[in-house]
Amino acid sequence: ATMLTIVKNVTVYSPHLLDGNYDVLIAGSTFASIGKDISVQGAECTIIDGTGLIMVPGFVDTHVHMIGGGGESGPASRVPEPTIKDFVSAGVTTAIGVLGTDNVSRSPETLLVKARALNSEGMTAFMYTGSYHFPVVTITGNVKSDIVCCEQVVGVGELAISDHRGSFPDIHELARVCEQARVGGMLAGKAGKVHIHMGDQKTGLDPLWAIVEQTAIPITQIVPTHLARNPMLLEQSKKWFQAGGWGDITVDDDDGINALRLLKKDGVSMERVTISSDAFGSLPVFNDKGELIKYGFGKPTTLLECIKKLHFESKWSLEEILPLITSHPADCYLLKDKGRIAVGKSADFILLKEDSLDITYVYGRGSVLVKPGWVKTGMFE
């Protein structure tokens, strides 16, 4: 029998606020109906009282180190692998995995299997093929066929540009990878995005502008991330956004949150801005000599912390904030049934307390992943 759940009398952000309170019916893995006084006769149905709660789409985190990241401070600095509990307890129901710096002791094959594991446990997980480096490490031998042949692969990344840990590809090398991702995306019906890790070097976005200006690759094919890394890069990103490019801001600390405030203050369109956590990636801090001085790792909980700070401290409306982590990333990566609460879409949602924005329930594909006093765990937790 199809599993039925009704959330009664809840305020719905689709991510845009629906007028008044609603009942939301979930049948199987999708939203079946949004209306008033919904009831189901002759079938078993879970009822959740949504009074005092708000329903928002599950978070779509486009940059997570699903098999752990790091390693830049020696073997003991490899960040451990997260579990489904780490993600869903933070409201993340869809995630895209990256490799990062270490493509020696970690591989795209391992990342692929991890994405499949998270899918089987109730989340929705995708991945990028590749790592920081060129030539790109792949599963099948090239980027194009990885995107076409591997269900979970939605693009290539995170390729490091303007970073001392990158491979300093020339424009032709970078353009060829963009072409492979673009054509792979076309053939597979996927986004085929090129996800770019931006480093601290003064060249900033220049290599990406070179691709856009000197080749036929459209600006929307390339998604730079870590755009709040330094003031120069953030300043450059304004032109990128104004030209219609997608870009991602890591909100693992106040720099990311302050960057969002600055973009809004300067009147930059947020239509193609996404935020991500960089969860379980290392957060190394280097001094001017390139020496490591501090070491931590990203956590998925920073997404909700960012929402709370912008809402309660900066007085942003939830309608302004929520698209950055729901509908925008879903649109960017062509995840057509994600990022929105609407009939027919995947029933990925979070119920937050209206007054505090604390999580009470999380559902992924119509199944409960978090409820009061309980969180979904993996096989070995």
Side-chain angles (χ1 to χ4, degrees):
T2 303
M3 199 163 51
L4 300 174
T5 304
I6 301 176
V7 183
K8 306 285 286 183
N9 190 40
V10 71
T11 303
V12 179
Y13 284 84
S14 72
H16 300 292
L17 178 61
L18 304 188
D19 194 24
N21 281 16
Y22 285 87
D23 292 358
V24 180
L25 171 66
I26 296 102
S29 61
T30 59
F31 293 111
S33 181
I34 301 169
K36 304 284 186 180
D37 303 317
I38 295 173
S39 61
V40 175
Q41 309 303 322
E44 201 176 311
C45 182
T46 302
I47 305 285
I48 298 173
D49 181 6
T51 310
L53 301 178
I54 59 174
M55 178 185 278
V56 305
F59 298 154
V60 181
D61 193 346
T62 59
H63 189 109
V64 304
H65 292 263
M66 274 173 197
I67 53 174
E72 291 114 324
S73 192
S77 70
R78 296 166 82 253
V79 180
E81 184 172 314
T83 66
I84 185 166
K85 182 179 181 179
D86 294 310
F87 293 113
V88 298
S89 60
V92 175
T93 54
T94 300
I96 308 181
V98 297
L99 265 194
T101 317
D102 180 3
N103 60 12
V104 178
S105 75
R106 306 184 194 272
S107 71
E109 289 86 351
T110 315
L111 188 55
L112 176 67
V113 174
K114 177 66 174 186
R116 288 175 175 161
L118 290 171
N119 278 322
S120 72
E121 289 172 332
M123 272 181 70
T124 302
F126 300 100
M127 65 172 279
Y128 307 96
T129 193
S131 65
Y132 272 19
H133 307 113
F134 291 76
V136 178
V137 290
T138 61
I139 298 166
T140 63
N142 69 68
V143 168
K144 191 191 310 177
S145 58
D146 274 15
I147 294 170
V148 174
C149 300
C150 303
E151 198 57 42
Q152 283 75 28
V153 178
V154 292
V156 59
E158 57 175 314
L159 303 171
I161 299 294
S162 300
D163 191 290
H164 63 98
R165 294 161 293 175
S167 302
F168 309 100
D170 62 31
I171 179 173
H172 304 293
E173 213 174 352
L174 191 51
R176 274 193 289 275
V177 171
C178 291
E179 171 275 323
Q180 287 252 317
R182 181 167 174 76
V183 175
M186 288 172 164
L187 296 175
K190 296 178 184 176
K193 297 294 187 196
V194 182
H195 188 59
I196 301 284
H197 159 106
M198 297 306 306
D200 252 327
Q201 262 178 232
K202 291 184 174 65
T203 44
L205 291 172
D206 292 350
L208 306 189
W209 278 116
I211 298 288
V212 173
E213 288 163 358
Q214 295 173 41
T215 76
I217 300 289
I219 193 170
T220 49
Q221 205 69 40
I222 304 168
V223 185
T225 187
H226 311 321
L227 290 173
R229 187 182 290 283
N230 62 54
M232 177 207 77
L233 192 56
L234 185 63
E235 191 58 39
Q236 284 189 335
S237 74
K238 293 176 189 173
K239 181 183 163 199
W240 185 263
F241 289 127
Q242 278 152 352
W246 287 99
D248 183 64
I249 289 176
T250 315
V251 292
D252 54 12
D253 59 19
D254 283 342
D255 289 348
I257 297 168
N258 290 332
L260 293 167
R261 289 173 177 142
L262 191 70
L263 289 175
K264 183 185 173 183
K265 183 170 79 69
D266 291 349
V268 177
S269 167
M270 303 292 247
E271 285 302 302
R272 292 203 167 158
V273 177
T274 64
I275 60 174
S276 65
S277 69
D278 205 359
F280 303 96
S282 66
L283 303 176
V285 178
F286 298 94
N287 65 15
D288 294 343
K289 297 178 188 142
E291 297 162 339
L292 186 73
I293 50 175
K294 202 170 102 186
Y295 204 78
F297 68 91
K299 298 175 181 65
T301 48
T302 54
L303 296 170
L304 187 56
E305 285 165 22
C306 170
I307 291 170
K308 287 180 179 180
K309 282 183 178 173
L310 289 176
H311 184 59
F312 293 123
E313 294 173 19
S314 301
K315 305 301 180 210
W316 287 31
S317 72
L318 291 176
E319 288 189 279
E320 290 176 279
I321 311 166
L322 288 170
L324 305 176
I325 191 59
T326 59
S327 55
H328 290 186
D331 291 348
C332 181
Y333 288 90
L334 300 185
L335 309 178
K336 295 183 177 67
D337 63 341
K338 301 296 182 185
R340 287 182 175 81
I341 293 170
V343 172
K345 301 274 186 193
S346 179
D348 300 351
F349 65 90
I350 311 167
L351 294 177
L352 302 169
K353 290 180 184 168
E354 202 155 20
D355 54 354
S356 63
L357 298 184
D358 289 339
I359 291 173
T360 57
Y361 289 86
V362 178
Y363 271 69
R365 303 201 303 270
S367 293
V368 64
L369 299 172
V370 176
K371 61 184 177 182
W374 180 85
V375 181
K376 169 85 178 177
T377 55
M379 190 179 282
F380 302 106
E381 290 179 272

